[in-house]
Amino acid sequence: MKSIIFGTLYLISFFCAFGDVRAADLGVQPLYFEFEKRGASKEKFEVTISAYNPTKVRFSVFKATQDITGKLNFIEAAEQDVVELKENSLTFLREGTKTIEGIIKYPKRVNKTIVYALMVEEDKGDASTGIGIMVRYAVVLKINTSNKRVFEKGKISKIGIKKIKKHLILEGLFENTTIKDYRIDSIAYIKDEAGRTVERLRLRSGSSWQKRVDESIVFPNSRIRIFGPLRKVTDPGK
């Protein structure tokens, strides 16, 4: 098991930072786990919750999927057969630190990577007066259920030039066809009829463009759109 103090703060969108993440009256760490089966049937994990004022904290398990922009979407898990929590809430009567314990139960005869998220949020009850901001942390639990060594494989399709608001972009779809994450750093070369390079450009997912990073992470059996702006090619087809 790997645990990385790596920030994924789930508000309206995602904010990434290294170190302990704190917002409102809570601090949560770590925010990312990787689990490898390696013959075991289950594995324990712990998340530390720091409260800076008296509060009640609740926990729920969501399943994560990746959309075509590369971002994660979370849907509450209907079944709790893989991620089991020792308790679903903690109460802080004063400032302090507590630990929530959980167990990963590796499913049998399943060879794939599954991504869950442990959602951590303050329990405000039925408060309905005034305007407030609900802060929710997503502790990502990435679980590889295969004991076999897997080599990444992927494919690119639907490569083409598209015009958006008078600007040309080169875009395509990248699909990860394996049970492991595929980390891609894509560079495309545009050549003329003589084989000379006209333009070199980097292709990123929408999420990677937003984060200003070159690498795009594609989850197992996910498909993302990668694209980049064309600056020298102004008349496609020639």
Side-chain angles (χ1 to χ4, degrees), residues 86-121:
K86 189 173 181 179
E87 48 200 336
N88 294 318
S89 65
L90 288 174
T91 300
F92 291 84
L93 300 179
R94 60 185 65 84
E95 179 181 349
T97 298
K98 295 186 179 184
T99 299
I100 173 72
E101 297 179 4
I103 297 175
I104 300 298
K105 295 182 177 180
Y106 293 107
K108 298 178 180 179
R109 294 181 294 277
V110 175
N111 292 319
K112 63 180 180 179
T113 297
I114 315 169
V115 183
Y116 285 88
L118 171 62
M119 293 297 185
V120 182
E121 60 187 314

Side-chain angles (χ1 to χ4, degrees), residues 185-189 200-203:
D185 187 351
S186 306
I187 296 176
Y189 294 86
R200 174 184 181 275
L201 67 155
R202 191 177 296 278
L203 304 180

